[in-house]
Amino acid sequence: MPTTTVARVRPDDWRDLRDVRLRALADAPSAFGSTLAREVAFPDDVWRERAAQGRTLLARQVPDGGAAAGRDRSPGAVVGIATVVPSPDDPTAADLVSVWVDPAARGGGVAAALLRSADALAAELGARTLALWVTATNTPARTLYERAGFAATGETKPLPSDPRLVEVRMTRPVRG
């Protein structure tokens, strides 16, 4: 089984950030508020700026016996992404956005590792609550979030990239 590491994006990781984000948008267009067509057109400066913010987490995998142990950055392939941002509406909350795991890496603990790291980042930002929006029809993601302690709040809204779809808000306390 491969070893998974999760680390915050650094400015020099902007190409990895761009590549995994575009893969995510191509793989699961109904899971995101943006579109592949919109983001593929972004100039490199947008990706550099996003990477410089340091709020995105990348999950990487190396095969067993790989050289990840003891390093601060795995040389492995990027297989997942998540971003944590302070809530614009509540100074005690952080929003978890852009969560995605490569289909070939699903079921191997990558999402759980991303959620643990996202929780730690939310605590670092001073949040007491971690919130997210998930498409109502995305049963695998909703199940993952429920297993991780998130609960639906009853709030819904149209998905910005496809208003025919509904998003459900879920929250949980930050565990830090």
Side-chain angles (χ1 to χ4, degrees), residues 31-65:
F32 300 101
S34 188
T35 65
L36 178 61
R38 177 178 176 258
E39 295 197 19
V40 78
F42 286 169
D44 292 349
D45 287 347
V46 170
W47 299 107
R48 286 185 180 101
E49 181 182 320
R50 284 183 175 188
Q53 291 173 357
R55 293 189 181 133
T56 298
L57 303 161
L58 296 182
R60 298 175 188 267
Q61 284 189 331
V62 291
D64 273 348

Side-chain angles (χ1 to χ4, degrees), residues 58-153:
L58 296 182
R60 298 175 188 267
Q61 284 189 331
V62 291
D64 273 348
R71 291 183 160 197
D72 107 354
R73 180 66 93 241
S74 164
V78 177
V79 295
I81 185 173
T83 301
V84 177
V85 295
S87 171
D89 304 320
D90 181 351
T92 68
D95 293 328
L96 178 61
V97 298
S98 301
V99 178
W100 178 80
V101 174
D102 187 286
R106 292 178 187 159
V110 175
L114 282 166
L115 292 178
R116 282 191 302 274
S117 293
D119 191 76
L121 181 50
E124 186 180 313
L125 294 172
R128 293 192 305 256
T129 302
L130 188 58
L132 60 87
W133 290 93
V134 60
T135 308
T137 56
N138 190 343
T139 302
R142 289 183 68 177
T143 300
L144 167 75
Y145 297 136
E146 288 168 356
R147 286 185 187 151
F150 287 88
T153 66

